[in-house]
Amino acid sequence: MDYNTRLVVLSTVMLGVASGLVGSFLLLRKRSLMGDALSHACLPGIGLAFLFMVMAGGSGKNLIGLLAGATVTGVGGVGLVLLIRNTTRIKDDAAMGIILSVFFGLGVAVLGMVQSVPDASAAGLEYFIYGKTASMVLDDFLLLGGVTVVVLVLSALLRKEFTLLCFDEGFARSLGWPVQRLDMILLGLVAAVTVVGLQAVGLILIIAFLIIPAAAARFWTDDLRGMLILSASIGGLSGWLGSSVSSLLPGLPAGAVIVLVAASLFAFSLFFGSARGVIRRMAMQSRLRQKVGRQHLLRAVFEILESKAEGEPRAVRNEPISFAELCAKRTWTAARVRALLSVAEREDHVDRFDGASLCLSESGFGEAARTTRNHRLWEIFLITHADIAPSHVDRDADSVEHILSPEMVRELEDKVGMKRIPASPHDLSIPVAAPERGGVVG
Amino acid sequence: MIWLAMDTWIVVIGALCAIACALPGCFLVLRRMSMMGDAISHAVLPGLAIAFLVTGSRASFGMFLGAAVAGVLTAVFTQWISQWGNVDRGASMGIVFTTLFAVGLLLIVRAADHVDLDPSCVLYGAIELAPLDTVGSLTIGGTLLEIPRAFVVLGVTAAVNLLIILLFFKEFRLSAFDPDLATTLGIPAGLMHYLLMTMVAVTTVASFEAVGSIIVIAMFVVPAATAHLWTDRLGPMLLISSVVGACSAGLGHLMALTVPGWFGFKDTNTSGMMAVAVGLLFAGSVLVAPRYGLLGRVRNKRIVRGSEAPDPAGVV
């Protein structure tokens, strides 16, 4: 790699790290598009700064002057977004849209005026929109490095404060923390990253850099520190991979390639993320569905066996029951019962299912008794402690019983004061001999 | 300042574009999806590029179709990511439109050798040149009128948007304010959402070819937000936003011709100044709108404070 390529790769990596860090806080504050509004609002500042510098007799292309102008209008624009949101009935998405378009329009108008300056050296100003990644110089690199160091140090120092700001602003305020000032510091960091990144890599890439790494990192962890580290790494990695690839294949704009690398990392995380990824969540849901299905099946069988023992709890014995009985017990289709049974057979809860009759295995019978008992415990608890009518309690119990932990079951036993399997509380309101007893849906 | 027939055409085209955008924009603002216009106008780039590579020509129905499809896909992908991945809607919008824009940029660069398609022309457009591209002429009262293509395209777009909104007024209104209630009443709220997104995408594409995406982004949000300050009813909101949009077109072009003169410049582009003009109208409304404006609220407070002493109704 030659000197220039190294410079570009290092710069994009640093920018990725810095914006990954800042972007995490933005994402958690649900302000991801703030970078979008801010970066567009920088444009009039650039044009105006150029005009002022030309009028003052300067060259008009002094980098520090242009960046200062960009910062002023950028931060001013975001301040206006907050002002509109807080003082009028306009919601923050519309406030952002208004500031973004009006400021960008102003910028386009100012640049349109600048173009007619006889000097005409303003043509180069448009790299603020598309970036000039491949032609970065040492000054850009140093500026980026400085901002990255500041972002790293401040995020490390203020991590606790920013965390509270992101998760519970009201609590932070009630603790007496200077929430407003913290918000300003965070906004200042975003502005610094945006302005410096804008002229280095362009508008679209900086918006992407502020959103995508943080959103990708969120799929892998629920811990803020882990998320910060991961988000910074994803940002750095996409900067490194993207700029390397674009340097190998000349003619590809580095900014676009970096965005695509980050987007691929995001897509991978979306599906395979270990904390909130799609596949992981689908697996968890299907496991829960399976558990619910198993418990419903076992309880249904147990209640059939119970009805055969004719109200004598000690006489419930594990004996074969017919498939038709089981289907009639709940509002299940025959296909659904067959599916449940085949799972139960695999789990060794049922043996001897020949299509017409079935019998629980030893472990299945124990599990059925336990499940039924949990359900009844919870029902009785709801009736006696939560004042829910016995006729409604089955549904309510159903939504919780599948996630009762052993500790909670023990607590329930103490509260309700029962050790063995209680009779179904529905019998309290329904005569024991009534045939409807078996038809309870739950 | 000299006002020519061409200036009139520019204002008329700008006003048509503003009305075409402001109508669906009201629903975007009410449904808290104002940034969708921004997202879609960036994300249509790959659609334009692919359509260009396939058909090989710039001004074609293919381009229009490709961009509209890309716009609708933006809405679909945003929905998927925020739903499946449990990602904040704003963030998922940002992910989708930056990615699609990057794809579009790459495609354009790959084909750049023989392509006269450059992103800045998509972003800024050239409303000043729109009247020069004419489709035919008309003689009214002895004067010959050259009809610009943009006038026809934007007029049709505005009319179609108006027609769709009038046809499905009840459905749109209900799914804008209460999608769940709409669903229970048998109105397909999801379908209405995608119909709205299609309208946004088509309007975006139809407009920015003629006038640039800055006007489009501004006109989707700002007139609707301005109207929202003046009224609580959807019908008047649609009307006020159209009027605000149309006024800002005239005001913007006037400003583009005159304002730079105050600072010693010749003139500037109308697109940017239209966005500034509609921004000024919004700022004015923030101040003077009767109920939701700052002055109105101060007055209301004073009335409340004044009525506290005698308490004529005897409520307290």
Side-chain angles (χ1 to χ4, degrees):
Chain A
M1 267 192 223
D2 60 4
Y3 168 76
N4 192 38
T5 314
R6 268 206 305 269
L7 206 66
V8 170
V9 171
L10 270 179
S11 304
T12 46
V13 168
M14 286 190 313
L15 187 65
V17 169
S19 48
L21 278 177
V22 179
S24 301
F25 294 119
L26 278 185
L27 181 78
L28 293 175
R29 295 216 70 184
K30 296 199 186 308
R31 283 197 186 158
S32 290
L33 286 177
M34 207 55 124
D36 193 1
L38 206 158
S39 50
H40 282 86
C42 285
L43 193 67
I46 294 164
L48 288 174
F50 179 85
L51 276 185
F52 279 127
M53 285 190 292
V54 168
M55 283 176 175
S59 81
K61 298 193 85 173
N62 181 322
L63 185 62
I64 301 298
L66 292 179
L67 292 188
T71 314
V72 169
T73 52
V75 172
V78 173
L80 277 181
V81 169
L82 298 179
L83 193 71
I84 292 175
R85 193 192 60 177
N86 292 339
T87 61
T88 71
R89 70 189 311 213
I90 304 296
K91 307 287 187 299
D92 52 356
D93 65 314
M96 266 193 278
I98 292 168
I99 293 303
L100 180 149
S101 55
V102 173
F103 271 58
F104 198 72
L106 183 63
V108 170
V110 171
L111 286 189
M113 280 157 62
V114 170
Q115 302 291 358
S116 62
V117 170
D119 183 13
S121 64
L125 286 186
E126 69 171 20
Y127 65 69
F128 276 94
I129 297 171
Y130 304 113
K132 47 158 191 177
T133 316
S135 56
M136 274 194 272
V137 292
L138 192 61
D139 278 354
D140 301 317
F141 173 77
L142 291 179
L143 209 57
L144 267 174
V147 168
T148 308
V149 169
V150 171
V151 167
L152 278 174
V153 169
L154 276 183
S155 328
L157 282 180
L158 296 175
R159 187 170 63 86
K160 193 178 68 184
E161 285 79 0
F162 283 160
T163 310
L164 197 53
L165 188 68
C166 292
F167 288 108
D168 201 339
E169 200 181 322
F171 182 57
R173 193 169 286 136
S174 73
L175 286 181
W177 286 12
V179 171
Q180 216 91 50
R181 213 174 310 154
L182 284 172
D183 217 9
M184 277 296 139
I185 296 178
L186 185 55
L187 187 61
L189 288 183
V190 177
V193 171
T194 309
V195 169
V196 172
L198 196 58
Q199 58 98 26
V201 297
L203 200 145
I204 288 298
L205 175 56
I206 196 67
I207 297 170
F209 251 170
L210 280 171
I211 302 175
I212 299 181
R218 187 70 187 88
F219 288 113
W220 295 96
T221 173
D222 285 326
D223 167 55
L224 181 67
R225 196 164 60 158
M227 179 177 161
L228 287 175
I229 295 173
L230 202 60
S231 166
S233 318
I234 292 176
L237 184 68
S238 13
W240 178 60
L241 282 179
S243 51
S244 308
V245 167
S246 84
S247 76
L248 290 177
L249 302 169
L252 288 187
V257 179
I258 293 173
V259 174
L260 290 185
V261 172
S264 328
L265 289 175
F266 172 83
F268 181 77
S269 309
L270 171 67
F271 287 105
F272 302 102
S274 60
R276 294 154 60 105
V278 170
I279 290 178
R280 153 113 183 143
R281 284 218 321 235
M282 272 164 56
M284 268 163 57
Q285 272 167 13
S286 98
R287 222 173 303 152
L288 182 66
R289 255 201 309 276
Q290 221 171 48
K291 188 176 166 190
V292 170
R294 178 178 69 222
Q295 295 189 343
H296 278 157
L297 176 77
L298 290 176
R299 185 153 61 83
V301 174
F302 191 85
E303 280 172 356
I304 292 172
L305 294 175
E306 224 176 15
S307 69
K308 286 187 174 159
E310 284 165 3
E312 178 54 55
R314 287 179 191 287
V316 178
R317 272 181 301 123
N318 188 13
E319 52 196 38
I321 60 170
S322 78
F323 182 70
E325 253 179 318
L326 188 56
C327 288
K329 172 77 183 153
R330 306 193 55 136
T331 50
W332 284 335
T333 60
R336 170 123 173 82
V337 176
R338 268 197 206 95
L340 284 172
L341 280 174
S342 78
V343 173
E345 244 180 332
R346 219 181 319 128
E347 286 172 340
D348 205 20
H349 284 140
V350 166
D351 40 36
R352 294 208 319 262
F353 171 52
D354 52 13
S357 76
L358 63 130
C359 184
L360 290 182
S361 70
E362 205 52 48
S363 69
F365 185 62
E367 183 68 20
R370 198 183 64 79
T371 305
T372 312
R373 181 158 163 273
N374 284 359
H375 179 75
R376 304 250 168 94
L377 276 174
W378 185 248
E379 278 183 337
I380 292 172
F381 172 78
L382 286 181
I383 292 171
T384 56
H385 288 73
D387 271 345
I388 292 176
S391 54
H392 287 65
V393 82
D394 199 63
R395 263 284 144 86
D396 293 330
D398 227 28
S399 54
V400 196
E401 61 170 5
H402 305 291
I403 48 173
L404 285 182
S405 63
E407 296 83 45
M408 277 178 73
V409 170
R410 228 163 299 139
E411 210 174 307
L412 280 176
E413 282 167 357
D414 293 343
K415 272 236 165 66
V416 178
M418 276 178 227
K419 287 287 174 199
R420 31 172 216 89
I421 303 174
S424 170
H426 303 290
D427 300 342
L428 302 176
S429 50
I430 302 170
V432 180
E436 291 95 334
R437 186 180 167 272
V440 173
V441 176
Chain B
M1 191 188 78
I2 310 146
W3 192 271
L4 302 171
M6 184 161 150
D7 294 303
T8 313
W9 274 124
I10 291 176
V11 170
V12 168
I13 290 171
L16 278 179
C17 168
I19 292 169
C21 293
L23 292 174
C26 286
F27 295 97
L28 288 184
V29 167
L30 288 176
R31 304 193 61 178
R32 313 195 57 177
M33 294 174 5
S34 313
M35 297 296 270
M36 211 59 189
D38 174 43
I40 286 186
S41 59
H42 283 93
V44 292
L45 199 58
L48 289 177
I50 290 174
F52 180 84
L53 290 179
V54 172
T55 63
S57 72
R58 252 195 79 178
S60 69
F61 184 70
M63 294 277 267
F64 186 80
L65 201 66
V69 168
V72 174
L73 280 183
T74 313
V76 173
F77 287 151
T78 303
Q79 185 72 19
W80 281 356
I81 290 181
S82 68
Q83 196 175 327
W84 291 354
N86 213 358
V87 179
D88 172 45
R89 187 191 269 281
S92 72
M93 208 183 280
I95 293 165
V96 171
F97 91 75
T98 50
T99 307
L100 286 179
F101 190 79
V103 170
L105 216 53
L106 274 190
L107 286 174
I108 286 182
V109 169
R110 294 308 288 167
D113 303 337
H114 46 95
V115 177
D116 175 29
L117 185 71
D118 115 67
S120 74
C121 107
V122 172
L123 277 180
Y124 304 147
I127 192 171
E128 292 85 353
L129 303 179
L132 299 181
D133 180 10
T134 56
V135 283
S137 54
L138 209 68
T139 315
I140 299 174
T143 49
L144 187 75
L145 273 180
E146 299 273 348
I147 308 289
R149 207 167 66 89
F151 173 78
V152 178
V153 171
L154 288 172
V156 169
T157 312
V160 169
N161 281 355
L162 185 65
L163 195 69
I164 292 177
I165 286 177
L166 287 181
L167 275 180
F168 298 105
F169 188 73
K170 191 181 63 185
E171 285 81 359
F172 269 128
R173 180 170 59 186
L174 203 52
S175 34
F177 289 107
D178 196 340
D180 295 333
L181 179 64
T183 310
T184 56
L185 290 179
I187 297 168
L191 202 67
M192 299 316 288
H193 170 76
Y194 285 117
L195 181 59
L196 180 64
M197 289 301 122
T198 313
M199 262 160 76
V200 170
V202 170
T203 311
T204 307
V205 181
S207 315
F208 74 27
E209 191 202 1
V211 300
S213 69
I214 276 305
I215 299 187
V216 179
I217 299 170
M219 292 305 165
F220 270 128
V221 186
V222 193
T226 310
H228 198 39
L229 290 171
W230 287 90
T231 178
D232 281 327
R233 301 183 57 80
L234 184 58
M237 184 172 165
L238 289 165
L239 191 68
I240 295 177
S241 64
S242 306
V243 172
V244 167
C247 288
S248 62
L251 189 61
H253 188 57
L254 214 61
M255 280 165 63
L257 292 179
T258 55
V259 171
W262 304 343
F263 302 102
F265 296 100
K266 207 166 109 275
D267 58 0
T268 183
N269 44 25
T270 301
S271 328
M273 272 304 176
M274 280 188 186
V276 175
V278 76
L280 289 179
L281 290 180
F282 174 77
S285 302
V286 166
L287 284 181
V288 303
R291 188 187 294 174
Y292 300 104
L294 294 182
L295 293 182
R297 280 207 311 224
V298 169
R299 197 195 55 199
N300 289 349
K301 251 183 220 154
R302 196 169 302 146
I303 292 171
V304 168
R305 222 176 290 135
S307 72
E308 257 169 18
D311 190 17
V315 176
V316 181

